[in-house]
Amino acid sequence: MTPKLTPKLATLLVLAALIALTPFFFPSGYYYRVGALIFVNGIAVTGMVILIGYAGQISLGHAGFAGIGAYACALAPVHWGLHPALAVVLGAGISAVLAFLVGRPVLRLKGYYLGVATLGLGILVSMVLNNERELTGGPDGMEVPDLGLRDLLKDWGLNLSNGEFWYFFSGLCLLIGAWLALNLYNSPTGRALRALHGSEVAARTVGVDVARMKLQAFIISAVYASVSGSLLALQNKFITPDVAGFMHSIEMVTMAVLGGVGSVLGAIFGAGILTLLPQLLTVFADYEQMVLGIVMVLVMIFLREGLLPSLLKKFRGKDE
Amino acid sequence: MSELLQFLFSGVTVGAVYALVALGFTIIYNASDVVNFAQGEFVMLGGMITWFAHEAGLPLPLAALIAILATACLGVAMNKLMIEPARGAPVVSLIIITIGASIFIQGAAQLVFDKQIHTFPAFSGDTPFRIGGATILPQSLWVTGGALVVFVGLWLFFTRTMLGRAVLATSNNRLAAQLVGINTGFVMTLSFALSAAIGALAGVLATPITLTAYSVGIGFALKGFAGAMLGGMGNPKGALVGGFAIGLIEALTAGYLSSQYKDAAAFVVILAVLFFLPQGLFGRKSTDRV
Amino acid sequence: MKKTLTTTALASLALLSLTSAALAEIKLGASISATGPAAFLGDPEAKTLEMLVEELNAKGGINGEQIELVLYDDGGDPNKARTFATRLVEDDGVAAIIGGTTTGTSMSILAIAEDAEVPFISLAGAIDIIDPVKPFTFKTPHTDRMACQKIFEDMQKRGFTKIGMISGTDGFGASMQAQCKSVVADYGIEIIADETYDPKDADITAQLTKIKNAEGVQAVLNPGFGQGPSIVTRNFKQLEVGLPFYQSHGVASDGFIELAGSDAAEGVRLPGTALLVADLLAEDDVQKPVVTAYKTAFEAKTGTPVSTFGGYAHDAFLIMTDAITRAGSAEPAAIRDAIEATSGLAGTTGVYTFSASDHLGLDLSAFRMLEIKNGTWALVE
């Protein structure tokens, strides 16, 4: 490595190369779909890095924000004639406001109490989406309008299949998201957040406004989750309240922690593994759930810092 | 009047199940500071194994006993294989480990048993008792009684026995507990066995009312977790009150407000309580170690 | 079940094996919710498909070609269903798809199937799947609306005008609740109490007490599937509501009587399919042979009683193989045209006749009003 190659730049380059080069090895269009899902999950998980990895807080309800982002894209274009792209922004805005409003009281809580409070928050959102049938279509879900960007690109002479378009578009969004997160890491806010993760009391004594910092991390991660939900809705063009469900919240946390919540690349790696795993495990059919459970347990016991950091450490250890 | 009474009976029936699950959370938390999200799977196993053994021709009490013992053994195995090796891991890792265990047990249960819904006969028949125009099933009394007995037993255990105090000491400061001669490894094993057995007992008592299937665990775990947190994690009194409170809130909301949003009401109350009492109703005050 | 390996590394191996796959084969894809919240429906569907493929191949397949079933479990998650549908179409290259246990998963699969122009037969209830008609999408179950109509017809005959409803909040219950409310006025019936329960609820007496105490209520209807309706039925008995009680086709299986208890289930009416009353069908009933054959085979193979849902998968497979046989080709477009030309095909659910404007192919006559008498099903008519 040359000294000029900062970790931030290295991360972005690795990510960009992966996004750009793997399609050359795709045997069929189905792989674009899996790739796009990894990137969409990767965006949500990057938010979890900021919340869990930087600020040391947990949330068992972030799927609620994904639900808000997803349904903003489904509802706003139909009811207010808003362009789907603006609906993404609207969803992110609503998520940020909600996170701001509930963040202060909720973030005073610690550990499992924070867990149950965020869990309740997520469940409330998913309950509204399930029950307000007139508006959201209830558990059967509703259709989401087309983003229209693919047609626009076609007019400009760039003809992509639906799968290809969503692969590259989600990949680009993930790159931007990762870039912002990495910038935050090196900013004064990021340093304050990491101080807080080390020890809240110590951070407070050196003059960090702990409550404000936690709140910021919570809001930013909510926006990431919301955008991820929006992209999922736009890609699938159909959305059900499952997107806001408890299992999706758990999935986000698991992806981040499994991959390595200390770094953006690690967490995205986790998103990749957990998105691919069910696809690979179809081989095991009936044993799928058992294998998934075992993998989660083993990684957490033996690779505590997450898959990617632990593997890298082992790799380097052998070199030296 | 009879309407209110019926809502209360409904709430007590459901609340007793939640309370039993919440009590199971309490023990493991007291010994190890771990919230075991696989607690619901213990409840599922209690019901499924009893059904399976009963179906195979064993008398119901024997089937129930086998279910409780088998689940207790599984609890011990879970401690040895998953929790002990992860000692010192952060909260979020422990959450993922216990959720992983829960997914694994569910996957195994659907292979060993099946994916259908099952039940077995109620212990004292299905003829409801009639009180003031409202009705309650004998099995509801079994569940409620079970929750109360387990609570009293745990309360005595934690306050009156050396072993119970050893459990609490282990939770407060593991190293100090070891220094005064407490076998913390045994305490952990015991806690998991006890907790799993109580979970299985909940499954045995509740299945004639709630029915069972390989997938019912996560629902029980969520409600039990909520109940335990509402009451204050680690305190048997909190688990009992929290569990019953959530059952009653749900039933009264369904009765007087909206059945669609009854689960929402429970979580709104939890959020409100935690806003004023960040450690739940009866939780221990925690101080930050610096 | 076909075990597919699709890691990138193994993709090349798969290419190599193509040469040996010269044995004539028709690839049939399926994405079913064999686990997850809809496993109660999806499990018998998956087992039925596996059983039927085995049976058909043992008999020599279709027109001498073996059927290869590529079956995925989407766990009831529409997002996963979309991914699996993409995989079936793009990677596995199937000729047709059966699946979509729930409405949500069906809507996800149909978008992919329509884009790729691959025929798709859904196993879910909602009318939105085939209304408006989409060229490549068909479905086998009755719509929720038809179940509501069948029930309200019976209520009207018995002179009920004021009823209470207690619905599950899952997709099945919520969808049927909405459909029932939209057609109820056609029958001069008014819903004066409208309650819901969560599918995981352990006790529903609070909601039923409200319905019981509603002024002038004459009958109660419970749309839902899984364990909820069994608990509702038990609570109904516990409270001695004492009103005529209707369940939906969501619980049409012997398992329901067992779970609710034959005592509590006594007198419950529901719209069911011929499958439940195989023994009671007239000897000249066109459905009798197919219903009896499926029931015998399924129960012998799995040891569990047949359910209406397994029947939906049976019928989808029947329609599909019948169309492939008639088309004499496994080209997606040819299969689609042949499905649309299906006429008078007796399945377990009803007798199917599709057309360009009707991709359901059933009418109300396919439903039979059943009543539980002495712990078993009886025909009402």
Side-chain angles (χ1 to χ4, degrees), chain C residues 44-198:
Chain C
E45 291 171 356
K47 284 183 178 149
T48 298
L49 286 181
E50 284 169 352
M51 179 187 87
L52 292 175
V53 169
E54 215 172 278
E55 266 179 17
L56 190 65
N57 283 340
K59 279 189 218 149
I62 304 175
N63 302 338
E65 295 187 51
Q66 295 277 299
I67 298 277
E68 185 193 327
L69 179 69
V70 187
L71 178 73
Y72 296 124
D73 169 17
D74 58 41
D77 176 0
N79 188 37
K80 258 191 171 179
R82 191 182 166 99
T83 310
F84 282 132
T86 312
R87 183 166 174 178
L88 288 170
V89 168
E90 304 257 358
D91 209 50
D92 300 315
V94 298
I97 302 176
I98 292 175
T101 303
T102 67
T103 300
T105 52
S106 288
M107 296 302 280
S108 296
I109 300 169
L110 82 83
I112 299 289
E114 289 295 331
D115 270 356
E117 309 203 322
V118 168
F120 164 53
I121 302 184
S122 158
L123 310 177
I127 196 165
D128 306 3
I129 298 167
I130 43 99
D131 181 28
V133 170
K134 298 155 196 79
F136 285 84
T137 306
F138 302 82
K139 79 186 207 80
T140 51
H142 309 88
T143 62
D144 309 331
R145 186 176 299 172
M146 290 166 79
C148 297
Q149 287 167 331
K150 187 75 184 177
I151 292 167
F152 291 147
E153 230 172 48
D154 192 63
M155 286 181 171
Q156 196 179 30
K157 251 184 249 164
R158 294 166 86 181
F160 304 144
T161 54
K162 285 181 176 166
I163 63 158
M165 271 178 71
I166 170 94
S167 317
T169 53
D170 50 86
F172 185 99
S175 169
M176 183 162 167
Q177 180 194 23
Q179 292 297 333
C180 282
K181 279 159 94 171
S182 76
V183 296
V184 68
D186 304 347
Y187 296 85
I189 297 172
E190 195 189 343
I191 298 169
I192 55 170
D194 186 17
E195 297 290 328
T196 63
Y197 60 87
D198 185 272

Side-chain angles (χ1 to χ4, degrees), chain B residues 15-263:
Chain B
V17 181
Y18 297 164
L20 268 172
V21 183
L23 285 166
F25 274 111
T26 304
I27 305 165
I28 291 184
Y29 182 80
N30 269 349
S32 62
D33 279 344
V34 172
V35 169
N36 175 22
F37 280 90
Q39 189 67 30
E41 307 312 324
F42 295 153
V43 182
M44 178 273 289
L45 286 175
M48 288 297 273
I49 298 175
T50 307
W51 161 76
F52 192 72
H54 184 58
E55 197 77 348
L58 296 181
L60 198 53
L62 185 61
L65 190 67
I66 291 175
I68 292 172
L69 289 178
T71 310
C73 292
L74 188 91
V76 172
M78 187 180 154
N79 174 46
K80 288 281 175 230
L81 298 175
M82 298 179 177
I83 306 298
E84 294 262 335
R87 176 175 326 292
V91 164
V92 62
S93 305
L94 288 169
I95 291 179
I96 292 175
I97 288 176
T98 58
I99 287 178
S102 152
I103 294 176
F104 175 79
I105 296 173
Q106 238 188 70
Q110 78 187 33
L111 280 183
V112 177
F113 308 112
D114 61 11
K115 295 178 196 164
Q116 299 301 306
I117 302 163
H118 300 288
T119 188
F120 42 81
F123 301 170
S124 315
D126 289 317
T127 315
F129 296 113
R130 222 156 285 284
I131 304 158
T135 58
I136 188 163
L137 290 172
Q139 194 66 28
S140 299
L141 300 183
W142 274 99
V143 186
T144 314
L148 293 175
V149 167
V150 168
F151 163 70
V152 172
L154 284 183
W155 181 71
L156 289 175
F157 176 69
F158 281 127
T159 55
R160 296 291 147 85
T161 67
M162 276 308 284
L163 198 56
R165 289 183 195 169
V167 172
L168 288 180
T170 308
S171 134
N172 277 340
N173 189 333
R174 195 180 177 86
L175 187 63
Q178 274 166 347
L179 287 178
V180 297
I182 295 171
N183 182 346
T184 53
F186 174 70
V187 163
M188 287 285 286
T189 304
L190 178 83
S191 308
F192 269 84
L194 210 57
S195 180
I198 291 175
L201 177 70
V204 169
L205 294 176
T207 296
I209 299 174
T210 63
L211 315 184
T212 193
Y214 82 97
S215 58
V216 297
I218 193 80
F220 283 124
L222 278 184
K223 291 289 171 61
F225 176 51
M229 299 308 284
L230 175 63
M233 190 49 103
N235 187 331
K237 190 164 61 178
L240 190 78
V241 173
F244 275 109
I246 291 189
L248 287 170
I249 293 166
E250 284 184 8
L252 291 174
T253 311
Y256 289 116
L257 295 170
S258 145
S259 44
Q260 277 193 324
Y261 281 102
K262 68 181 172 50
D263 291 20

Side-chain angles (χ1 to χ4, degrees), chain A residues 161-212:
Chain A
S161 79
N162 196 40
E164 287 163 353
F165 168 74
W166 280 105
Y167 176 88
F168 288 110
F169 184 63
S170 316
L172 185 67
C173 293
L174 175 62
L175 261 183
I176 297 171
W179 177 64
L180 292 173
L182 290 167
N183 278 345
L184 181 75
Y185 187 81
N186 293 320
S187 72
T189 311
R191 278 195 290 275
L193 279 174
R194 280 178 282 146
L196 184 157
H197 190 180
S199 163
E200 240 178 68
V201 179
R204 195 176 285 125
T205 47
V206 296
V208 175
D209 184 347
V210 170
R212 207 177 122 236

Side-chain angles (χ1 to χ4, degrees), chain B residues 230 245-246 249 264-275:
Chain B
L230 175 63
I246 291 189
I249 293 166
F267 277 104
V268 167
V269 170
I270 291 174
L271 286 173
V273 167
L274 291 182
F275 181 72

Side-chain angles (χ1 to χ4, degrees), chain A residues 196-272:
Chain A
L196 184 157
H197 190 180
S199 163
E200 240 178 68
V201 179
R204 195 176 285 125
T205 47
V206 296
V208 175
D209 184 347
V210 170
R212 207 177 122 236
M213 286 295 134
K214 283 199 225 171
L215 188 62
Q216 278 187 3
F218 192 66
I219 294 173
I220 296 169
S221 64
V223 168
Y224 272 89
S226 176
V227 171
S228 151
S230 294
L231 290 178
L232 187 70
L234 288 169
Q235 182 188 160
N236 286 355
K237 291 215 272 181
F238 181 79
I239 200 73
T240 64
D242 292 295
V243 69
F246 171 65
M247 288 322 287
H248 191 210
S249 292
I250 293 296
E251 210 174 57
M252 285 185 197
V253 177
T254 308
M255 283 173 175
V257 176
L258 212 65
V261 79
S263 73
V264 171
L265 206 56
I268 295 173
F269 184 70

